[in-house]
Amino acid sequence: MTHKDLEVWQKAIAFVTDIYNQTANFPKEEMYGLVSQLRRSAVSIPSNIAEGAARQSNKEYIQFLYVALGSLMELDTQLIIAKNINFISEESLIELQLKMEEIGKMLNGLIKYRKSKL
């Protein structure tokens, strides 16, 4: 079994696409600002899940899962800012936050499971 078999990784990959689609219509002057931040935070989530899964120890794996969780919270903050400056709608924010909540719960579950194996 690899990281690609993890449902949380699959959902995080799909979520990256959501973020790219959502930010595609942001103002051009934000390409190196908020758009870049949002996209990097989103990409960081499945990337850290994958990197952690490749590590030799559970302790290292858990650390990478915490980094993924941190990126998720960073992304939530950035989306709230995007909504506050009218780059995304309230409806879009809620839809994205529901997906983030699901990914967050799955990450926390995986962390709990991995900690039980220490």
Side-chain angles (χ1 to χ4, degrees), residues 2 5 18-19 22 42-44 64 69 75 79 89 93 113:
T2 72
D5 298 309
D18 293 338
I19 293 299
Q22 192 68 52
V43 168
S44 175
F64 278 95
L69 201 54
L75 186 59
L79 286 169
S89 67
L93 176 63
Y113 171 74

Side-chain angles (χ1 to χ4, degrees), residues 2-17:
T2 72
H3 63 278
K4 293 177 185 176
D5 298 309
L6 294 170
E7 188 180 356
V8 66
W9 181 84
Q10 295 166 4
K11 286 186 181 292
I13 285 288
F15 189 70
V16 171
T17 304

Side-chain angles (χ1 to χ4, degrees), residues 25-107:
N25 295 320
F26 277 33
K28 291 291 173 239
E29 65 269 13
E30 282 299 326
M31 189 50 80
Y32 299 105
L34 197 53
V35 170
S36 177
Q37 283 289 110
L38 284 158
R39 289 177 175 183
R40 279 187 291 138
S41 294
V43 168
S44 175
I45 300 163
S47 298
N48 276 289
I49 295 167
E51 189 169 352
R55 296 298 171 140
Q56 295 300 311
S57 76
N58 251 344
K59 198 169 186 177
E60 283 182 294
Y61 192 0
I62 291 164
Q63 186 58 43
F64 278 95
L65 293 174
Y66 275 122
V67 173
L69 201 54
S71 294
L72 191 67
M73 296 303 101
E74 186 179 353
L75 186 59
D76 184 49
T77 299
Q78 294 160 357
L79 286 169
I80 290 168
I81 292 166
K83 186 257 174 204
N84 287 348
I85 55 179
N86 297 313
F87 287 175
I88 64 171
S89 67
E90 179 78 26
E91 295 76 27
S92 292
L93 176 63
I94 291 168
E95 179 183 319
L96 292 168
Q97 284 177 324
L98 287 172
K99 290 179 180 184
M100 287 188 298
E101 186 178 326
E102 181 181 22
I103 292 168
K105 285 178 181 176
M106 294 174 86
L107 279 171

